[in-house]
């Protein structure tokens, strides 16, 4: 009972009900539109449909290919530390490899923590090529394309919220590549009981902010390429 009733007392849900009262009292179209937007963006049932749709978009190229070169896209860090997102990607790589030998490329500025962590998780020796491919995903792809053979089998590993953009870049560069994504909390479907139809969840706003950031980033890059402003 606690889990069912507690969400109604969260501040964002109190704001939702207060906004509903204001709509009923003032009867303004603008308030109704604000209420509708706030509710739909925060509603868990709707957000889970968006999560499922996004997952379907990035699973089309997610099948691993045999005898592939695995590419772990960098996830920041420093010369001494390995961020959680990088550990998650390397853990996923370890699961995919299953102790088998493989060629691995890591695109990051600070290679040593990545290599140490990966080798500590892997029993079989790996051929690791680690280099700084640039400050963003678009530079990484441009420099990878210059280093790799045209039809070389590749398997990219990245976080799921970058999956759509990475899949678009694979198609743009016409790479013979698959995509493996690491699940994150943001894109994991949330539990939705009867009360989720009458409440909003702040996690869903985080979902939409990340989706908008991904789509907007790719759109700006494509416009930059078409107008000649992008120099790889």
């Amino acid at each position: 009972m606690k889990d069912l009733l507690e969400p109604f007392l969260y501040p964002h849900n109190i704001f939702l009900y207060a906004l509903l009262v204001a709509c009923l009292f003032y009867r303004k179209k603008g308030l109704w539109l604000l209420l509708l937007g706030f509710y739909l963006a925060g509603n868990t049932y709707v957000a889970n449909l968006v999560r499922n749709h996004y997952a379907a978009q990035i699973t089309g190229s997610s099948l691993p290919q045999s005898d592939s070169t695995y590419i772990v896209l960098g996830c920041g860090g420093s010369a001494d530390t390995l961020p959680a997102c990088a550990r998650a990607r390397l853990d996923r790589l370890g699961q995919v490899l299953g102790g088998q030998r493989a060629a691995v490329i890591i695109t990051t500025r600070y290679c040593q923590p990545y290599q140490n962590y990966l080798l500590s998780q892997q029993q079989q020796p790996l051929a690791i090529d680690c280099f700084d491919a640039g400050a963003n995903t678009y530079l990484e792809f441009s420099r990878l394309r210059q280093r790799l053979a045209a039809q070389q089998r590749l398997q990219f590993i990245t976080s799921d919220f970058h999956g759509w953009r990475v899949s678009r870049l694979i198609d743009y560069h016409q790479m013979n590549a698959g995509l493996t994504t690491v699940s994150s909390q943001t894109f994991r479907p949330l539990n939705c009981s009867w009360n989720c139809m009458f409440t909003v969840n702040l996690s869903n706003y985080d979902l939409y902010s990340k989706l908008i950031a991904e789509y907007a980033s790719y759109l700006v890059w494509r416009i930059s390429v078409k107008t000649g402003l992008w120099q790889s």
Side-chain angles (χ1 to χ4, degrees), residues 4-182:
L4 292 176
L5 298 179
E6 189 175 26
F8 292 100
L9 301 179
Y10 293 159
H12 42 281
N13 285 315
I14 293 176
F15 176 79
L16 174 69
Y17 309 136
L19 187 57
L20 175 61
V21 171
C23 290
L24 295 173
F25 184 80
Y26 292 105
R27 301 177 182 273
K28 299 292 184 180
K29 292 182 179 179
L31 284 175
W32 284 107
L33 290 175
L34 180 62
L35 174 65
L36 181 64
F38 184 73
Y39 171 75
L40 290 179
N43 178 258
T44 298
Y45 177 76
V46 175
N48 281 347
L49 293 179
V50 174
R51 288 182 174 94
N52 290 334
H53 176 69
Y54 181 84
Q57 286 186 300
I58 64 176
T59 53
S61 61
S62 63
L63 295 177
Q65 303 185 42
S66 59
D67 300 324
S68 295
T69 296
Y70 292 86
I71 300 178
V72 180
L73 296 178
C75 195
S78 68
D80 302 314
T81 60
L82 190 68
C85 59
R87 285 196 299 272
R89 296 179 189 186
L90 295 174
D91 287 340
R92 187 72 179 94
L93 173 61
Q95 294 172 2
V96 172
L97 292 178
Q100 300 299 314
R101 296 183 180 182
V104 178
I105 297 176
I106 304 174
T107 59
T108 184
R109 180 180 179 184
Y110 300 104
C111 291
Q112 201 60 48
Y114 283 76
Q115 293 174 326
N116 291 343
Y117 185 83
L118 180 57
L119 292 174
S120 69
Q121 303 295 316
Q122 189 71 15
Q123 296 179 352
Q124 294 289 342
L126 298 174
I128 301 177
D129 177 17
C130 184
F131 69 100
D132 184 5
N136 56 62
T137 310
Y138 310 108
L139 284 173
E140 287 178 315
F141 266 82
S142 295
R143 292 171 184 173
L144 281 169
R145 185 187 59 181
Q146 297 168 6
R147 294 169 65 100
L148 300 171
Q151 292 302 313
Q152 185 173 348
R153 288 180 177 270
L154 307 172
Q155 190 72 20
F156 284 86
I157 298 180
T158 188
S159 302
D160 54 3
F161 53 86
H162 295 313
W164 179 85
R165 183 155 51 104
V166 170
S167 67
R168 298 284 77 77
L169 288 170
I170 289 173
D171 293 339
Y172 177 82
H173 290 287
Q174 298 180 340
M175 291 179 167
N176 180 24
L179 174 65
T180 299
T181 57
V182 179

